[in-house]
């Protein structure tokens, strides 16, 4: 019934626009009237000289955040409104959309931060890149979200950290693509992705890499970032290849299969996007793959449980060797390895 009603409303565009405006003006705006951020002008543009903002007692004051303490359902209503927007409606109602969205993203409770990231993804689907940059909101969203990349265990509970990290990385990557598109991704877009990789992935591993669930999520998101950066990912390989190699060569690498599978997938993505510089890291890449493969052969687990990993390693190894076949140093190392053990000769022949 609801879908039928909505389809009828969409046919009458003027009536539908009036309903959207009515909800934003008379239902959402009053509840967020005190949610002013010093980063914004009244027209929802980036302030030229913003005052420093901070979280304080007002964050837990019901009079300052009635949307949170008295009418939490308004977030669901706001989500519906954002999901119904198109490009003309976004531009018309921009000052009514941005303050509630930023208030939700910037709330102290992690559950609302996650909901805010989800709302931002919906908005980015219909928000023109020119509007994001003209208003300065692209930069505001970026600087607001980046600190969430360090909401890591043990300071942040694992059950809250992982959903927030997942939502934040997804929102930041989508935001960067929406701001710069394909044409500008080579310059400004790459700089934004570099910040996410250095501040999020590398620091995340340094602080919480021992947590296998966090490490698995970071490895999966690093694959997405490498795909988005393309060839520009090579600047991070000297810091990141050792992280992947450490996962592959860990004594208990198969104890948590999702992490090992994520590391292999990320390495495959690196080979595809960073192939011109792979020769500089060939020894470490091949060493990690070979040691992991050897340990899988020595595992006491049933062969059926390990065959997926063995095939994945062999596939990645085959791709790496094709890229390194012209590197003389790698050829010498592989020749010595095959002469050392017949097991490795079998691996080299896959």
């Amino acid at each position: 019934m609801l879908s039928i009603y909505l389809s009828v409303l969409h046919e009458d565009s003027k009536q539908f626009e009036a309903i959207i405006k009515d909800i934003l003006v008379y239902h959402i705006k009053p509840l967020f009237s005190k949610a002013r951020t010093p980063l914004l002008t009244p027209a929802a543009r980036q302030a030229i000289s913003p005052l420093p903002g901070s979280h304080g007692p007002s964050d837990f004051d019901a009079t300052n955040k009635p949307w949170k303490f008295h009418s939490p359902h308004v977030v669901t209503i706001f989500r519906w409104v954002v999901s119904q927007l198109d490009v003309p409606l976004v531009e018309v109602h921009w000052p009514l959309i941005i303050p509630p969205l930023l208030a939700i993203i910037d709330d102290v409770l992690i559950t609302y931060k996650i909901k805010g990231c989800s709302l931002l993804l919906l908005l980015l689907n219909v928000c023109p890149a020119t509007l994001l940059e003209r208003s300065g909101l692209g930069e505001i969203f970026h600087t607001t979200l980046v600190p969430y990349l360090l909401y890591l265990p043990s300071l942040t509970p694992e059950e809250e950290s992982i959903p927030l990290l997942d939502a934040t990385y997804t929102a930041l990557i989508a935001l960067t693509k929406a701001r710069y598109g394909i044409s500008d991704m080579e310059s400004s877009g790459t700089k934004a992705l570099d910040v996410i990789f250095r501040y999020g992935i590398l620091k995340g591993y340094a602080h919480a890499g021992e947590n296998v669930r966090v490490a698995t999520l970071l490895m999966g998101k690093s694959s997405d970032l490498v795909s988005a950066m393309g060839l520009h990912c090579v600047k991070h390989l000297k810091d990141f290849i050792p992280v992947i190699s450490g996962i592959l060569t860990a004594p208990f690498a198969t104890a948590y299969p999702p992490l090992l599978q994520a590391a292999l997938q990320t390495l495959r993505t690196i080979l595809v996007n960073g192939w011109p510089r792979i020769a500089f890291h060939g020894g470490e890449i091949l060493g990690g793959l070979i040691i992991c493969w050897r340990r899988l052969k020595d595992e006491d687990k049933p062969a059926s449980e390990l065959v997926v990993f063995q095939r994945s390693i062999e596939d990645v190894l085959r791709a790496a060797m094709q890229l390194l076949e012209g590197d003389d140093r790698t050829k010498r190392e592989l020749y010595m390895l095959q002469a050392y053990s017949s097991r490795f000769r079998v691996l080299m022949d896959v």
Side-chain angles (χ1 to χ4, degrees):
M1 289 294 294
L2 180 59
S3 60
I4 296 174
Y5 178 68
L6 289 175
S7 64
V8 173
L9 278 179
H10 277 289
E11 291 176 2
D12 188 349
S13 59
K14 290 186 178 180
Q15 184 180 0
F16 183 74
E17 291 173 10
I19 292 174
I20 294 294
K21 181 179 180 180
D22 182 82
I23 295 174
L24 286 170
V25 172
Y26 298 108
H27 297 276
I28 293 176
K29 183 180 178 180
L31 294 172
F32 287 90
S33 60
K34 295 185 179 180
R36 295 194 179 97
T37 171
L39 299 174
L40 291 180
T41 66
R45 299 298 195 263
Q46 185 178 28
I48 297 176
S49 300
L51 297 173
S54 62
H55 294 293
S58 61
D59 289 308
F60 301 97
D61 187 350
T63 59
N64 287 308
K65 292 194 173 184
W67 64 269
K68 178 178 176 181
F69 294 97
H70 298 311
S71 305
H73 63 275
V74 76
V75 177
T76 302
I77 297 174
F78 184 56
R79 179 182 178 83
W80 178 85
V81 170
V82 174
S83 68
Q84 301 301 312
L85 296 174
D86 55 20
V87 174
L89 284 176
V90 167
E91 294 182 343
V92 170
H93 299 304
W94 187 255
L96 297 172
I97 297 167
I98 297 304
L101 177 57
L102 271 177
I104 296 169
I105 291 176
D106 200 36
D107 192 77
V108 294
L109 291 183
I110 288 179
T111 53
Y112 283 111
K113 293 181 188 295
I114 296 171
K115 291 179 180 179
C117 290
S118 176
L119 286 166
L120 177 58
L121 284 174
L122 288 176
L123 180 63
L124 291 175
N125 289 332
V126 292
C127 183
T130 53
L131 180 57
L132 278 174
E133 293 310 295
R134 187 171 69 246
S135 63
L137 263 295
E139 184 62 28
I140 289 178
F141 284 134
H142 180 85
T143 55
T144 301
L145 289 174
V146 164
Y148 300 167
L149 300 178
L150 292 183
Y151 277 55
L152 300 162
S154 59
L155 292 179
T156 304
E158 182 182 301
E159 62 273 12
E160 293 183 342
S161 172
I162 290 176
L164 178 60
L165 290 173
D166 187 16
T168 303
Y169 276 106
T170 303
L172 278 171
I173 294 172
L175 174 64
T176 304
K177 291 179 178 179
R179 290 175 69 186
Y180 302 109
I182 297 176
S183 58
D184 291 336
M185 191 61 74
E186 293 290 322
S187 54
S188 303
T190 300
K191 293 178 182 178
L193 293 173
D194 287 341
V195 171
I196 301 169
F197 201 95
R198 291 196 183 100
Y199 193 85
I201 300 296
L202 296 179
K203 283 193 175 183
Y205 269 107
H207 289 289
E210 71 282 354
N211 185 305
V212 292
R213 292 185 63 201
V214 172
T216 302
L217 183 141
L218 292 176
M219 190 58 64
K221 296 303 178 182
S222 65
S223 180
D224 296 338
L225 282 167
V226 168
S227 295
M229 285 188 285
L231 182 57
H232 292 279
C233 72
V234 297
K235 70 184 75 171
H236 302 291
L237 296 187
K238 62 182 176 61
D239 298 313
F240 193 57
I241 290 296
V243 173
I244 298 176
S245 179
I247 294 172
L248 296 176
T249 58
F252 303 102
T254 60
Y256 192 72
L259 177 57
L260 180 57
Q261 197 66 50
L264 291 170
Q265 176 57 44
T266 301
L267 185 53
R268 186 181 290 109
T269 306
I270 289 173
L271 295 177
V272 170
N273 291 275
W275 60 269
R277 302 283 292 182
I278 291 301
F280 291 90
H281 310 279
E284 194 161 13
I285 291 173
L286 294 178
L289 291 169
I290 291 170
I291 290 174
C292 186
W293 181 84
R294 186 191 66 188
R295 286 193 169 138
L296 285 174
K297 287 292 186 181
D298 295 336
E299 282 279 353
D300 293 330
K301 293 182 180 179
S304 59
E305 296 183 16
L306 303 177
V307 66
V308 174
F309 295 118
Q310 291 175 359
R311 288 176 179 172
S312 295
I313 292 173
E314 291 167 2
D315 289 342
V316 177
L317 182 62
R318 187 182 299 110
M321 290 178 65
Q322 288 176 353
L323 293 174
L324 296 169
E325 61 183 0
D327 186 61
D328 294 335
R329 185 179 62 179
T330 302
K331 284 183 178 180
R332 289 194 300 269
E333 292 174 349
L334 290 175
Y335 179 79
M336 294 171 59
L337 192 61
Q338 292 179 62
Y340 173 76
S341 172
S342 59
R343 288 201 303 175
F344 293 132
R345 275 197 297 272
V346 174
L347 177 59
M348 294 301 113
D349 292 335
V350 297

